[in-house]
């Protein structure tokens, strides 16, 4: 990793009985008077696999650019069903705010970024800003879970949109069916409530969509952008032609992805 950054691993951000939820921190060396933007980076894996190491390279690169990055784990569907993962990420946000002083973080510049299932979770955080229904009761800390920016890398915006690839259980149980513990036809209302698009509105923050050329991975995106545009909320789309779903993990897409994130955050936070 770059010699310009510090790393702290395996920090407990929430204790659920015996279960300890961990995160890692990547942050710039050196002192600055200017408070830094925090980026919480949520890994993908269909809400049932993957781990927080997936985005260590991204966290390192962004920390090198002056951001304070956090890579939390969250409970996967094999351990706990929706909305456990949502509660865990909201706990992460509150933990970051509660520890802002130590890492010189501007609590008005909290960014949630995620890839694939993590992108969906990131968008859900932004769409449920101020919505107590999804806050969860564990690990409350004395801070809210509102965020000021979202970066959704190829994460779905809707489980019920016609564009969605989720919910087809004909060949095998879909990732979302596993996470919700119910099929789309058995509990359509749950699938709707779990969709970021359902909650998007005037408190949703500026959002950057970085997408592969696999369209179903960002189902509902255009409708989501329309909702935000109605409130004058800034959105941006960066799409890589002829790229696979996992594009952001590899060159030649990794570095441009980093650059898109950096320029978007600079733009909305006027850094």
């Amino acid at each position: 990793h770059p010699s310009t950054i510090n790393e702290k691993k395996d920090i407990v951000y929430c204790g659920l009985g015996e279960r300890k939820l961990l995160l890692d921190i990547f942050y710039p060396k050196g002192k600055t008077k200017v408070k830094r933007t925090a980026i919480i980076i949520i890994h993908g894996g269909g809400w049932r696999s993957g781990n927080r190491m997936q985005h260590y390279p991204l966290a390192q690169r962004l920390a090198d650019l002056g951001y304070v990055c956090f890579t939390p784990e969250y409970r996967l569907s094999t351990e706990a069903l929706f909305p456990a993962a949502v509660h865990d990420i909201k706990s992460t946000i509150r933990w970051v705010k509660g520890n802002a002083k130590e890492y010189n973080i501007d609590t008005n510049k909290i960014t949630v970024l995620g890839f694939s299932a993590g992108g969906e979770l990131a968008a859900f955080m932004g769409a449920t800003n101020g919505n107590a229904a999804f806050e969860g009761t564990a690990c409350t800390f004395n801070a809210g879970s509102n965020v000021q920016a979202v970066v959704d890398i190829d994460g779905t915006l809707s489980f019920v949109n016609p564009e969605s690839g989720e919910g087809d259980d004909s060949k095998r149980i879909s990732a979302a069916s596993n996470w919700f513990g119910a099929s789309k036809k058995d509990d359509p209302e749950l699938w709707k409530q779990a969709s970021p698009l359902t909650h998007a509105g005037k408190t949703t923050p500026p959002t950057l969509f970085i997408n592969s050329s696999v369209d179903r991975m960002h189902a509902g995106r255009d409708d989501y952008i329309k909702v935000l545009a109605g409130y004058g909320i800034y959105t941006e789309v960066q799409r890589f032609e002829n790229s696979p779903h996992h594009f952001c993990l590899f060159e030649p897409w990794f570095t441009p992805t980093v650059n898109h994130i950096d320029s978007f955050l600079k733009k909305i936070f006027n850094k």
Side-chain angles (χ1 to χ4, degrees):
H1 68 87
S3 58
T4 55
I5 67 171
N6 290 317
E7 301 186 358
K8 280 189 191 171
K9 302 272 174 74
D10 302 327
I11 311 279
V12 177
Y13 74 83
C14 186
L16 303 165
E18 293 293 289
R19 177 73 159 96
K20 304 281 182 272
L21 290 165
L22 306 177
L23 58 72
D24 313 297
I25 313 173
F26 302 80
Y27 58 106
K29 284 182 179 166
K31 294 274 176 269
T32 165
K33 286 213 166 56
V34 181
K35 287 192 159 66
R36 300 187 184 279
T37 299
I39 307 179
I40 294 160
I41 303 177
I42 312 166
H43 73 77
W47 309 277
R48 71 178 285 118
S49 65
N51 73 61
R52 62 193 204 276
M53 293 169 66
Q54 184 180 57
H55 293 304
Y56 280 3
L58 181 60
Q60 290 165 339
R61 186 78 71 89
L62 288 167
D64 189 40
L65 292 172
Y67 299 95
V68 182
C69 297
F70 300 85
T71 53
E73 70 169 330
Y74 56 91
R75 284 170 291 167
L76 301 170
S77 64
T78 47
E79 178 180 357
L81 300 182
F82 173 90
V86 168
H87 291 163
D88 294 347
I89 303 302
K90 294 217 181 237
S91 290
T92 303
I93 297 164
R94 295 190 299 263
W95 188 93
V96 166
K97 290 186 184 181
N99 291 272
K101 205 172 219 150
E102 188 180 343
Y103 299 99
N104 199 29
I105 289 165
D106 186 338
T107 53
N108 296 309
K109 294 181 180 178
I110 305 288
T111 305
V112 190
L113 175 157
F115 162 58
S116 197
E120 181 277 327
L121 283 165
F124 196 84
M125 294 303 126
T128 57
N129 261 354
N131 183 337
F134 293 101
E135 204 61 48
T137 53
C139 305
T140 46
F141 311 106
N142 298 322
S145 65
N146 279 13
V147 297
Q148 287 77 42
V150 168
V151 179
D152 175 1
I153 306 177
D154 241 17
T156 189
L157 284 311
S158 174
F159 295 102
V160 294
N161 188 282
E163 300 167 357
S164 176
E166 289 298 335
D168 177 4
D169 298 332
S170 56
K171 293 194 182 68
R172 59 193 173 91
I173 305 293
S174 83
S177 301
N178 275 317
W179 188 33
F180 300 140
S183 70
K184 194 183 291 192
K185 66 175 190 298
D186 287 343
D187 198 342
E189 186 55 28
L190 174 63
W191 283 61
K192 188 180 169 196
Q193 287 308 313
S195 299
L197 178 59
T198 303
H199 305 282
K202 63 178 184 295
T203 61
T204 305
T207 302
L208 166 63
F209 302 94
I210 308 180
N211 293 128
S212 69
S213 53
V214 186
D215 287 343
R216 68 183 171 82
M217 290 303 175
H218 56 253
R221 183 196 69 195
D222 297 346
D223 291 347
Y224 196 92
I225 289 170
K226 259 185 219 129
V227 172
L228 267 54
Y231 294 101
I233 298 163
Y234 180 75
T235 55
E236 187 180 307
V237 178
Q238 300 288 351
R239 184 176 187 270
F240 292 101
E241 294 302 322
N242 306 316
S243 62
H245 173 51
H246 55 254
F247 73 98
C248 67
L249 303 174
F250 303 98
E251 297 293 7
W253 307 287
F254 175 79
T255 295
T257 294
V258 171
N259 295 338
H260 287 320
I261 295 163
D262 185 41
S263 65
F264 167 74
L265 293 175
K266 285 197 168 90
K267 188 179 297 169
I268 64 164
F269 292 141
N270 300 315
K271 292 193 357 188

